[in-house]
Amino acid sequence: LSPDCSFTCHYRCRALVQLDCGGPPGAGDEDDGNEQVLEKDTNVDEPSEWEKTELDQAQVEKRIKEYNSQINSNLFMSLNKDGSYTGFIKVQLKLVRPVSVPATKRVPSLQAGRPHPQGVKRRTSFYLPKGTVKHLHILSHTRASEVIDALLRKFTVIDNPRKFALFERSEKDEQVYLRKLGDDEQPLRLRLLAGPSEKVLSFILKENETGEVNWDAFTLPELQNFLLILQREEEEHLRRLRHRYARCRQKMQEAL
């Protein structure tokens, strides 16, 4: 657990983690608060009117040319002979809870004098760093559920994919809107319809909030790890509250 950025990882993974933790404690708190104030989860499962637009092959080809002319990178879209098309989408991972990845521990044989190490499948949990972004090369008919599966494979996450959901994020009139994509929606098609602007449309992977947590879906080690994490979060929250009230008390005493 880093004292500056509160990033938590497995002790075996410390040498593999490279993060810039030079900022002072709580430096990012205000930004997170502003984002929460701006964001508004519309909870609308129905796509907007422009997302319902149906395109024929000529219109798709025209849109792809317009899209490729507007981007400043080599992440182009390409039209295939069968009428489908391929391209890249960028997904930001904004996960509040830790994810589980496989871990293998070598254990010696219990029979004395006969060392026979064998692999024991285990899992370990850690937080993904804030702002983690992944580009995926997908097809026009790739579904949102398949994008989630691909993201989990990229990060070797072994949690149930149903614990996660893909959201579209849009900005309008200084307000941020989120909408959860249906399993069968096609993110690359939405990307083509919206154009390359991240303000018009961007993709975020978040926990699949259904209103209630199905704790039976978690293993016993995961539940025990969650209890430890909740305890640390509670202690950190109390520390910040005490610090805030101490500053207020100091200011009031100085005013007196």
Side-chain angles (χ1 to χ4, degrees):
L1 179 64
S2 169
D4 291 338
C5 66
S6 298
F7 175 75
T8 306
C9 74
H10 193 266
Y11 72 95
R12 293 176 181 169
C13 305
R14 284 183 297 183
L16 303 177
V17 177
Q18 296 181 354
L19 295 174
D20 182 11
C21 297
D29 294 346
E30 295 184 0
D31 294 339
D32 292 343
N34 291 337
E35 183 73 7
Q36 291 177 359
V37 171
L38 288 175
E39 279 192 2
K40 177 182 180 182
D41 190 346
T42 60
N43 288 324
V44 177
D45 295 330
E46 188 71 15
S48 59
E49 289 301 323
W50 67 270
E51 292 171 329
K52 298 179 183 178
T53 304
E54 296 295 335
L55 302 176
D56 56 32
Q57 188 167 355
Q59 292 173 321
V60 168
E61 185 175 1
K62 180 181 178 182
R63 292 266 188 153
I64 290 176
K65 290 181 179 179
E66 293 176 351
Y67 181 92
N68 291 339
S69 66
Q70 295 173 11
I71 62 175
N72 299 321
S73 64
N74 58 350
L75 304 180
F76 299 108
M77 289 194 188
S78 302
L79 183 64
N80 301 321
K81 293 182 179 180
D82 61 357
S84 64
Y85 50 95
T86 59
F88 294 85
I89 62 169
K90 183 175 73 172
V91 182
Q92 183 181 8
L93 284 72
K94 297 180 64 175
L95 302 178
V96 178
R97 295 189 286 269
V99 295
S100 298
V101 296
T104 302
K105 182 180 180 181
R106 309 294 293 183
V107 296
S109 173
L110 297 178
Q111 299 180 5
R114 296 182 58 187
H116 182 66
Q118 57 184 4
V120 176
K121 291 184 178 180
R122 304 182 65 191
R123 63 169 59 192
T124 185
S125 300
F126 71 99
Y127 282 107
L128 282 174
K130 291 182 179 180
T132 299
V133 173
K134 189 67 180 179
H135 287 85
L136 292 177
H137 188 246
I138 62 175
L139 294 164
S140 55
H141 53 75
T142 301
R143 298 177 297 129
S145 59
E146 295 172 326
V147 169
I148 295 175
D149 291 338
L151 287 169
L152 299 183
R153 287 196 303 270
K154 289 284 186 181
F155 291 93
T156 64
V157 175
I158 58 178
D159 290 313
N160 191 329
R162 303 300 300 177
K163 295 180 182 179
F164 308 94
L166 193 65
F167 288 77
E168 66 172 22
R169 179 185 184 276
S170 59
E171 297 182 22
K172 184 179 180 181
D173 299 329
E174 298 183 355
Q175 180 73 50
V176 176
Y177 295 90
L178 292 177
R179 184 182 71 88
K180 185 168 71 173
L181 298 183
D183 289 342
D184 294 330
E185 291 194 60
Q186 302 164 337
L188 190 62
R189 177 181 175 274
L190 298 178
R191 179 79 280 164
L192 179 63
L193 289 172
S197 173
E198 291 290 321
K199 288 189 175 182
V200 176
L201 176 69
S202 61
F203 296 107
I204 299 174
L205 183 71
K206 300 178 65 177
E207 282 85 3
N208 189 11
E209 301 292 352
T210 59
E212 295 183 1
V213 178
N214 182 17
W215 296 110
D216 293 334
F218 297 92
T219 63
L220 185 59
E222 284 181 311
L223 294 173
Q224 291 173 341
N225 194 41
F226 289 157
L227 288 176
L228 291 174
I229 291 169
L230 288 173
Q231 180 181 354
R232 291 176 181 175
E233 290 179 348
E234 182 181 11
E235 292 173 352
E236 176 64 18
H237 185 63
L238 289 174
R239 185 192 65 81
R240 293 182 181 180
L241 282 176
R242 293 190 183 101
H243 178 69
R244 184 184 304 172
Y245 277 90
R247 289 186 59 185
C248 291
R249 186 180 297 109
Q250 180 184 357
K251 295 293 184 183
M252 293 174 66
Q253 290 176 347
E254 291 176 355
L256 289 172

